Structures are given as structure tokens and as C-alpha cells.
Amino acid sequence: MPLLHRARFGVVLSVTVGWTLAVSAPETAPLLSDLIEDGERHFRAALFEPAERLFRGALAYDAQSAPGHLGLARTLLARGELAQAQGEAEVAVHLSPSAALAHLTLASVRERAGDITGAAAALDQYLGAAPADDHPVRRRRAESQRALLGLAGAVPLRTFDRHTRGTISFDVVEDKVVLKASVNGRIPIDVVLDTGAEHLVLSERTVEHAGVRRAGARGAGRGPEMALAESFDVAGVTVRRVPAIVRREPLRVVPNRTGDAFSPIALGLSMIIDYERRELTLADRLPFEPADVELPLHVLGLPLVVGASGDESVSFVVDTGSEVTSVSTGTLERAIRAPQARRIPMRLFDVWGAPQPDAFLLTPGIDLSFGAIRLKEYPVVVRSWPDVQAVHGFEMGGILGHNFLRRYRVTIDLARRVVRLKRQLPDRPTDTAILVGRGLPPP
């Protein structure tokens, strides 16, 4: 099915699966600009597949388009095509050496590919090229990442033995998946399974007791402090040289007290979470198994799938660490909702324990679908994620949280780039107690 794009002058461009073009007018500059603009618009919505087609279409017009190469690099990175992404990012840097975002993208690709020295050099270029009004959150994250790479030296991060696989039992405590893991070979501790975490998250207490090396932060130490764990053991699987974010204050709103958490996806591991049997399986490669729904997976810091709200495509983060399913204010504005829907204020906290203002539960909620899964007037929490947009350049449409995921055997397969959902419990409206929160009156 070709993707049709209409330019300002009424020219229709058909970008087919083979990336060929059919053009009926010579005004390439306006059409190229429109393709780049539409590609970036899709990227900002985390709709990476159409964004990639548009950027490829732009490059078919002008192979020297730096924004086209940069956009394509970022979409390729999201689907794990590291070699191709690196090539496109290097071309973007060559064509536009002053483009800070191109250097930042190249740094991300190189780090994931194991080129720590090259990633550090690209981050230095970004920090030197970034304008004074660059988003402060993005710059602080880059400074912290550069400090971590300095600590890491030239040795790749997140390495593990190939063909590794392990299974561990877990408990569900206050709608969080809690299991045992060990840092630097020390006594196992409770950690939360949180696929919405971009790094291993360790408390000050764990960092001190396990002897984890701190990286600090470049500049005035303004960014989140990074650290480097020599090993992280979970389910019989050992991952070496694991980047971690240091949680400076105890987080008292989670069941494991200190708030230590990890995401297998951030470690480069595929996973199966079986809520019915309460077992988590981790592996570098998983065997194929049938499922009720299979959704394409993109990972750009966070694992993302695309669902729909009515006729609108919406990106969702698969987040085992979130108790509830949420949508952004933008998703809600475009959704069809019942006129009698109520807005109930919610008490929400971010990963650092800071309260999130203006969050509320909408019930009855909105219609959502994920492949063959249809959710009618599904209650959702409405909130925003400004830091994600600042750091990664896309706006999250929503989160698939525990109240949704717990009804399925959930497979996140990095090798095949898919999320599989196999139903274990019948679909039904979200439990009010989970969404409204303990101690608050039901709707």
C-alpha cells in the first residue's frame, strides 16, 4: 500500500514499498520540504514506519539532504538497524557539521553498537555545537551520559553471554512486579520490573553497599547522576558493565522501599512475562510462540507499539512499571469520549518520586485498539511526559500499564522486533481500585 503525500502545489507523490517515486512536476524544493516536514511530524508522534517512508522519499529526491539522512538515521535506530543508522547519521554529520542533533544521534548509535570511544567523541561534538537555547533536559542528559562514557573507557556496555536464558518467579505487590536480582555479586535485593526505565535504576543505598562506581555529571553536576555496575544478575543471567541512574532520594511509593528497578529491554534482553504463572523469562533470543496479537516494536529509549484511538494511530510505551494505562492530553483531545465522562484527580509520581500535577482519571474512558484487541470506553489516566519529548524528540501517546498487561502473556522480542500478547484473563473494564488509587472514593 503506497503512502500518498500531497505537496503545496497539488503534486501527488507515491512512495512505494520499494521506495520508488512518481512525480508530475519539477518543483522539487517545496516538495522535498514537505516530505521532511511530514516525516518529522510522524516522528514526533512516534509513528516511525510512516516517518521512515517519508524520509526515504525525501532522499530519493535529494541524496544530499542532511535532514533526510538524520531523520532516516533516527527511525532506523528505533527499529534496531544499527549499521544502517550509523551510516545515515555519519552522512548527516558530514553534510551538516553544525547540526547538534546529528551528533547526538550518532553518539546514541555508536554507544548501542559498542563503540564507546566514538560515542564519547560524538557527544563532545554535540555539547560543543548545541545552541545556548537547546533544551536544558536534553543537554543535562547528554552531560551525564558523557560522564558515564568517560568512566566506561573503551569497553562496550551491557554485554552478556550469547544463547543465554533464564526464568525467575516474581511477586506482584501493589500492582508492581517485584523479583530478586544482584548488583556486583552482592546479596540479592528486591527490584521492580520496569520496562519504562531507560537504564538500571539504583538507590543511593544500593550504590554504596554494592560498591557501584559513580560517574557524576559533567559541568556543574546538574544532570541525573550516572553510575556503572560491573555486573547485574537476574534469573541466572549476568549482564556486565551496566549503566545505571542513581536515585538520590528513597522512593516510598513503591513496594521495594528503595526503588531499585530494571528493564530487560534496556539491557538488550528479550523477555516473556507470564502474569498467570508469575514467571519472567529473559533471553538474548526467544523461540517463536503463537499469540493472539503481534505488534511491531520500536525501541528508542523506550519500547513502543502503535495502537489506535478511533481512526487515529497512537504510540504507546509498554510499561510494566506503571500501575495504570495512561494517555497524553493530545491523545485525549483527538479521541471520541462519552459526554458523561468524569475527571477524577489522581495522585501520580514520576520515577524520582515527584508528584505529577494535573493528572486525572477519565471514566468512562476512550475506545482503544491494539490489533484484534478492542477496548470500549476504557478508563485511562491523562497526563504528560515532557522529558521524553525533550530527550528523544517524540511525544508519547500513552502507556500500556499493569492493569492492561496483567491479562496477557507478554513477549517483548528484540530480535524479531515484535510484542506478542496472548490472552490469559478475559478482557473487561479496568478495575476501579487500581485506577482510582487506595484511599480514594470510587467513581
Side-chain angles (χ1 to χ4, degrees), residues 120-139:
L123 273 177
D124 286 336
Q125 291 294 319
Y126 161 75
L127 292 169
D133 60 350
D134 190 30
H135 200 290
V137 172
R138 180 164 57 203
R139 185 176 184 90

Side-chain angles (χ1 to χ4, degrees), residues 23 138-139 183 190 197 202 209 229 300 386 439:
V23 188
R138 180 164 57 203
R139 185 176 184 90
V183 180
D190 287 338
L202 299 178
H209 286 188
L300 200 60

